[in-house]
Amino acid sequence: MTTPLLEVQDLTIAFPTPGGGSAEVVSELGFALPPGGSLGIVGESGSGKSMTSLAVMGLLPKGARLAGRIRLAGEDIAGLPDRRMRAIRGDRIAMVFQDPLSSLNPYYAVGFQIEEAYRAHRPRATRREARRVAVEAMERVHIPDAARRAGHYPHQFSGGMRQRVMIAIALSTEPDLLIADEPTTALDVTVQAQILALLREIRRDTGTGLVLITHDLAVVSEMVDDVVVMRAGRCVEHAPVARLFSDPQHAYTRALLDAVPRLDDEVGELRTVRAAAPDTPREGER
Ligand SMILES: Nc1ncnc2c1ncn2[C@@H]1O[C@H](COP(=O)(O)OP(=O)(O)OP(=O)(O)O)[C@@H](O)[C@H]1O
Ligand SMILES: [Mg+2]
């Protein structure tokens, strides 16, 4: 078997509590991602999804205690010294967050910010090379008129375009692994679909591994090979995405699946209800 790109074993993350005890927010979590593979981490708010991704990035908040192993291409990176982790983060592992505005500096042109992110990991790169990489990265995420737009500031971009800028930053160093934590939650549905399509295209073209974190099972359905369903810090189900949808094993997974809106169902149901009683609102409707 080839060495997994990312392997998480017995990951446990705890915070100290005021009484002198500690509270586990992630417990004995394990999963593996082959090179170029994709994994969805799904679960309700507070289930420990972001803490898991922050642990992989070496960005856990102060006070968090971590146990277990996190291997990147075979190397244990859990608890690496900060200096070594900084070299990995943004280079071999890149991350895209929910809110692109909070990750972009409002006072600098976006092209410059992509250049700076690139130069942080390629210190020998010239300005000119960094500029070329930045414009190419913007083209790769389909920002129209990239060379000119590189000179524009974050507020001059729509939410979807800002998220494209963040993805361009993430891609500029050609990472082996992209972690996207709710990358489309702040966007409206149409733009969300465009960003997901972009992530699919990038994976296809670059072979980057993807960990996609979301509370929405509908989002992972066409995006990943495998899904980990988390609840209260634990994995309750880990399965290939098709099997998770067709044959969920755990009651919690079924509950999450029931919450996935299906347009065809809704329309069909509405028609039936309307035909039976045209003026009666559906049960639960206000
Ligand atoms: N600094 C902290 N100190 C103590 N507990 C924390 C801290 N940060 C987060 N937590 C707790 O860790 C748990 C897991 O949080 P996490 O952010 O991983 O959830 P999540 O699954 O990403 O949720 P969401 O879908 O809302 O983003 C939560 O119960 C949260 O309250
Ligand atoms: Mg989160």
Side-chain angles (χ1 to χ4, degrees):
M1 209 192 104
T2 53
T3 310
L5 170 62
L6 177 68
E7 191 176 21
V8 169
Q9 279 179 337
D10 295 322
L11 179 67
T12 299
I13 302 167
F15 286 99
T17 52
S22 81
E24 279 186 13
V25 295
V26 173
S27 307
E28 291 160 31
L29 185 68
F31 56 82
L33 187 74
S38 56
L39 177 88
I41 302 182
V42 180
E44 65 199 348
S45 188
S47 54
K49 307 182 297 293
S50 293
M51 286 301 141
T52 302
S53 64
L54 291 175
V56 173
M57 296 287 286
L59 289 174
L60 281 176
K62 259 205 160 65
R65 279 202 308 269
L66 178 153
R69 280 161 305 281
I70 301 170
R71 291 197 189 88
L72 182 67
E75 182 194 2
D76 196 343
I77 59 167
L80 270 190
D82 209 44
R83 188 179 53 80
R84 301 227 13 232
M85 206 54 222
R86 268 205 303 273
I88 292 175
R89 199 190 305 135
D91 187 3
R92 294 168 65 196
I93 311 178
M95 192 155 176
V96 176
F97 297 94
Q98 174 172 339
D99 178 11
L101 255 197
S102 67
S103 316
L104 287 168
N105 188 320
Y107 302 116
Y108 293 102
V110 300
F112 179 76
Q113 297 190 52
I114 303 172
E115 287 172 39
E116 287 297 293
Y118 177 74
R119 276 159 57 101
H121 292 283
R122 303 286 184 274
R124 278 196 293 252
T126 60
R127 265 266 160 249
R128 197 190 158 115
E129 181 195 338
R131 160 109 331 188
R132 181 181 55 75
V133 166
V135 173
E136 276 174 14
M138 288 176 69
E139 283 167 351
R140 195 134 55 102
V141 298
H142 308 305
I143 294 175
D145 200 5
R148 191 175 60 90
R149 291 292 263 159
H152 288 181
Y153 292 82
H155 74 267
Q156 294 173 288
F157 290 79
S158 67
M161 282 294 158
R162 280 196 286 263
Q163 195 57 293
R164 287 177 192 268
V165 171
M166 292 313 299
I167 296 170
I169 289 177
L171 293 177
S172 65
T173 56
E174 298 174 3
D176 302 324
L177 175 63
L178 181 65
I179 301 181
D181 190 348
E182 307 269 10
T184 61
T185 306
L187 305 172
D188 69 49
V189 187
T190 325
V191 180
Q192 171 168 347
Q194 291 163 357
I195 295 292
L196 293 176
L198 172 66
L199 288 174
R200 273 202 301 273
E201 177 193 318
I202 285 163
R203 281 204 58 222
R204 192 194 58 214
D205 296 348
T206 66
T208 302
L210 175 71
V211 173
L212 178 63
I213 295 176
T214 173
H215 61 276
D216 183 355
L217 259 180
V219 165
V220 297
S221 63
E222 283 168 23
M223 295 294 297
V224 296
D225 307 326
D226 294 302
V227 180
V228 166
V229 179
M230 285 184 75
R231 185 185 200 188
R234 289 183 184 275
C235 171
V236 296
E237 189 158 354
H238 182 179
V241 68
R243 202 176 78 211
L244 194 87
F245 275 80
S246 66
D247 187 21
Q249 297 298 305
H250 197 281
Y252 180 66
T253 311
R254 285 195 288 273
L256 281 182
L257 282 170
D258 286 341
V260 174
R262 296 264 298 264
L263 195 59
D264 48 343
D265 288 6
E266 293 264 310
V267 174
E269 197 183 320
L270 211 59
R271 275 204 202 103
T272 323
V273 172
R274 289 246 168 86
D279 292 316
T280 321
R282 282 195 297 167
E283 198 183 338
E285 245 184 19
R286 280 167 229 286

